[in-house]
Amino acid sequence: MESLTIGQVAKQAQVNIETIRYYERRGLIPEPPRRESGYRQYAPDAVKRITFIKRAQELGFSLREIQELLSLRVDPGTTTGDIKGRAEAKLADIDTKLRDLKRMKTALVKLTAACRGRGPTSECPILDALESRRD
């Protein structure tokens, strides 16, 4: 079987070498065997696994959630419904974050509209609002 160096894996997966080492430390990819010289020998499927990890991150999954997805992938008792449930939970998280971001944007729009952008900071409505207590 053909083996790849860490540099080759990094290049093919389009990640930094340190990213690969970090994934190894986190248990997301198995630590590969080493040659007598001490160099890591990666199997070609390491590139696929790293690509999976990066793509899942792009979709908002945390490394902990990605580890769970990887575990589910090899569990013979896992169904596609299990995976769909994880994806639906992530969608719900994203919806919550979007609502929070919209709320923050609305508040910032109001604050910036109230500020003339001139005068001393002691008269800044943005700073005043940030100092005031919300009850």
Side-chain angles (χ1 to χ4, degrees), residues 40-106:
R40 294 169 168 90
Q41 298 182 98
Y42 291 90
D45 66 343
V47 174
K48 283 177 58 176
R49 189 170 182 111
I50 293 167
T51 301
F52 177 96
I53 294 165
K54 295 306 291 179
R55 181 69 181 123
Q57 283 182 305
E58 290 169 4
L59 293 174
F61 289 96
S62 68
L63 292 180
R64 182 187 53 78
E65 291 167 328
I66 294 168
Q67 179 65 55
E68 292 170 3
L69 288 172
L70 289 167
S71 296
L72 289 171
R73 185 175 207 167
V74 296
D75 181 352
T78 300
T79 67
T80 55
D82 297 327
I83 304 302
K84 183 179 181 181
R86 301 293 173 110
E88 288 171 338
K90 182 50 63 182
L91 278 172
D93 289 345
I94 291 169
D95 285 339
T96 299
K97 288 177 184 175
L98 285 172
R99 281 191 300 276
D100 290 344
L101 287 170
K102 286 178 183 177
R103 180 188 48 76
M104 289 186 280
K105 180 181 178 182
T106 299

Side-chain angles (χ1 to χ4, degrees), residues 5-52:
T5 65
I6 194 169
Q8 291 169 320
V9 172
K11 185 175 183 177
Q12 288 180 30
Q14 299 178 344
V15 298
N16 188 295
I17 289 172
E18 288 305 315
T19 300
I20 297 171
R21 291 180 179 137
Y22 179 70
Y23 289 167
E24 284 179 22
R25 288 191 304 272
R26 291 288 306 261
L28 292 164
I29 59 173
E31 189 171 327
R34 293 181 182 256
R35 296 183 181 142
E36 286 183 26
S37 62
Y39 288 106
R40 294 169 168 90
Q41 298 182 98
Y42 291 90
D45 66 343
V47 174
K48 283 177 58 176
R49 189 170 182 111
I50 293 167
T51 301
F52 177 96

